[in-house]
Amino acid sequence: MSQFLAEKYKKLEAYVPGEQPRDMEYIKLNTNESPFPPAPSVVDVIDSKQVELLRLYSDPTCLKLRQKLGDLHGLKAENVFVTNGSDDSLNFIFMAYGHMGAMFPNISYGFYKVYAELHQVEYTEIPLCKDFTIDHNMYKGWGQLIVIANPNAPTGICLGLKEIRQILENNPKSVVAIDEAYVDFGGESCYPLIAEFPNLLVVRTYSKSRNLAGGRLGYVLGNKDLIEDLEKLKYSTNPYCINRLTLLLGEATVDANDYYVDCCKEIARVRENTTKSLESMGFEVLPSKANFIFAKTDVMDGKELYLALKKKGVLVRHFDKPQIAQYLRITIGTQEQMNEFIKRLQEILDGGDK
Ligand SMILES: *Cc1c(COP(=O)(O)O)cnc(C)c1O
């Protein structure tokens, strides 16, 4: 750190992304990416002509993409805000609505805390129940921004529409942001509630269920006035934050929706198979509706197991946090990858490799 950094950022602890080691070829089950490529029709939209057009700025209004996303959800373009990945959206949400404070679960997506600290937002971390579920009745604020990942990460556990509705009804003075990064893998989206609740924001990403993590595209659905607020902040930061190529990929992705629905179904199928295999090996697996599972065993320490798997060429995610240190978060890959994962895991448990 230099002596020049503003005082207010000196204590900021930045988000730590999942590792991307290059020392060997890993089965990469640590950052919840899709094991599948984008749809063929999406891959085909980029040619040299599109690259040449990069001399021109991208459309800062992203109108075509917003119209397509609006149509997809029965909303209008004015209800859609698009950003460079959904982390970017979350950043704007904390910037815009955090001044009265914020509430989010104590075990959830690590970035919420980072954004809160970045924007000097006072935050309350609401504890999860013993079984790692969210008690929706604990979210009662007086204007504090409420942020909940549904399904939650890294647990994979879902809240139903009824509970989300209850949170909205209990908090008419708060903006309620539901982060649906993983909803397409088996959860129930709450975007139909937007018509009823002017304080609801639904945050979505192309990174997980749209096989486009490296393209960096996310969006928010919500009431027109909220979307206007977020646009204002985006135009005050970096209006061209989505590049021309990603805009084209994003539009083509909406057109290829059926392909992605099939990918999600396959992930859900492999998730259930993997859960069964792990359970038969004595693991406890939380009931996940996401493209990852959160699991632990009593016969080996979580961190040790993570390291043993890494040595065997399988990357999973371990969080050094007391309540969840025994668990591993395992992204669901292809069935072949998961078979290989189970095989190497069994070898570790059988001994010799500990
Ligand atoms: C992955 C993830 C995001 C952000 O993903 P982007 O790649 O920035 O779109 C947001 N929320 C949760 C809960 C996530 O797991």
Side-chain angles (χ1 to χ4, degrees):
M1 186 166 28
S2 85
Q3 58 177 307
F4 304 107
L5 183 65
E7 199 57 46
K8 62 182 177 180
Y9 296 131
K10 281 191 175 150
K11 282 200 185 131
L12 181 65
E13 278 184 53
Y15 179 73
V16 183
E19 59 189 329
Q20 312 274 6
R22 309 269 185 243
D23 57 327
M24 64 182 274
E25 200 158 317
Y26 287 96
I27 299 180
K28 200 168 171 301
L29 309 177
N30 70 328
T31 48
N32 299 343
E33 290 144 324
S34 172
F36 304 117
S41 57
V42 172
V43 173
D44 281 347
V45 299
I46 308 290
D47 55 19
S48 54
K49 191 169 150 259
Q50 297 306 332
V51 178
E52 281 173 17
L53 281 171
L54 285 176
R55 70 186 181 79
L56 301 172
Y57 278 115
S58 53
D59 170 18
T61 69
C62 306
L63 191 58
K64 199 165 166 200
L65 176 59
R66 287 166 59 213
Q67 268 161 351
K68 280 184 186 286
L69 287 169
D71 288 345
L72 185 67
H73 297 98
L75 296 164
K76 295 190 177 143
E78 66 188 22
N79 301 114
V80 186
F81 176 63
V82 295
T83 55
N84 188 314
S86 62
D87 288 335
D88 207 18
S89 291
L90 290 164
N91 182 39
F92 288 125
I93 289 170
F94 275 90
M95 197 190 284
Y97 305 114
H99 52 286
M100 304 277 283
M103 302 166 106
F104 41 83
N106 67 337
I107 297 170
S108 193
Y109 186 40
F111 232 135
Y112 302 152
K113 198 168 154 174
V114 178
Y115 286 133
E117 284 175 5
L118 176 67
H119 296 295
Q120 266 113 60
V121 165
E122 276 191 43
Y123 60 92
T124 315
E125 293 181 280
I126 312 285
L128 294 187
C129 305
K130 270 220 175 71
D131 61 358
F132 290 104
T133 54
I134 287 173
D135 178 358
H136 64 279
N137 283 313
M138 291 181 75
Y139 292 81
K140 285 185 185 148
W142 303 97
Q144 291 102 322
L145 167 68
I146 294 173
V147 183
I148 293 177
N150 192 39
N152 195 15
T155 64
I157 298 174
C158 260
L159 280 176
L161 213 51
K162 225 174 83 193
E163 286 81 33
I164 301 283
R165 170 186 287 281
Q166 193 67 58
I167 293 172
L168 287 157
E169 281 172 358
N170 288 344
N171 295 281
K173 297 243 177 286
S174 293
V175 169
V176 176
I178 305 297
D179 181 350
E180 295 191 338
Y182 301 105
V183 80
D184 294 322
F185 300 102
E188 190 178 8
S189 178
C190 66
Y191 77 81
L193 299 179
I194 287 170
E196 242 176 289
F197 293 95
N199 57 332
L200 171 62
L201 289 174
V202 182
V203 184
R204 293 288 193 88
T205 175
Y206 275 62
S207 297
K208 316 288 163 56
S209 66
R210 293 301 177 266
N211 312 358
L212 208 65
R216 310 306 303 131
L217 194 56
Y219 60 100
V220 182
L221 304 171
N223 173 280
K224 168 175 167 284
D225 296 339
L226 292 177
I227 299 300
E228 247 177 55
D229 299 339
L230 296 172
E231 289 285 354
K232 181 180 192 160
L233 295 182
K234 175 172 150 182
Y235 272 73
S236 307
T237 311
N238 180 6
Y240 304 110
C241 69
I242 304 173
N243 70 74
R244 295 182 74 98
L245 302 182
T246 294
L247 274 179
L248 286 175
L249 296 171
E251 291 158 14
T253 297
V254 179
D255 293 338
N257 200 52
D258 293 350
Y259 168 88
Y260 295 98
V261 171
D262 287 344
C263 290
C264 291
K265 275 191 200 144
E266 175 61 10
I267 296 284
R269 190 184 71 83
V270 176
R271 178 185 67 213
E272 299 315 309
N273 291 343
T274 308
T275 301
K276 276 191 209 127
S277 302
L278 285 173
E279 284 174 347
S280 73
M281 294 161 79
F283 277 78
E284 184 191 305
V285 185
L286 299 188
S288 170
K289 294 283 184 204
N291 67 340
F292 57 82
I293 46 183
F294 206 47
K296 71 163 180 178
T297 170
D298 290 334
V299 303
M300 206 169 158
D301 173 69
K303 184 155 192 183
E304 254 179 65
L305 184 52
Y306 150 76
L307 288 170
L309 280 165
K310 186 171 175 184
K311 225 166 110 188
K312 275 191 165 287
V314 182
L315 278 184
V316 298
R317 188 102 199 242
H318 176 261
F319 299 92
D320 255 326
K321 196 170 172 172
Q323 305 106 305
I324 54 173
Q326 192 55 21
Y327 284 82
L328 297 181
R329 192 195 68 189
I330 304 148
T331 303
I332 302 299
T334 61
Q335 185 67 64
E336 294 72 43
Q337 286 178 313
M338 301 321 282
N339 292 346
E340 193 54 37
F341 156 70
I342 294 287
K343 190 176 133 228
R344 295 186 201 179
L345 178 63
Q346 189 64 58
E347 287 166 10
I348 293 167
L349 296 177
D350 286 346
D353 279 293
K354 286 192 198 177

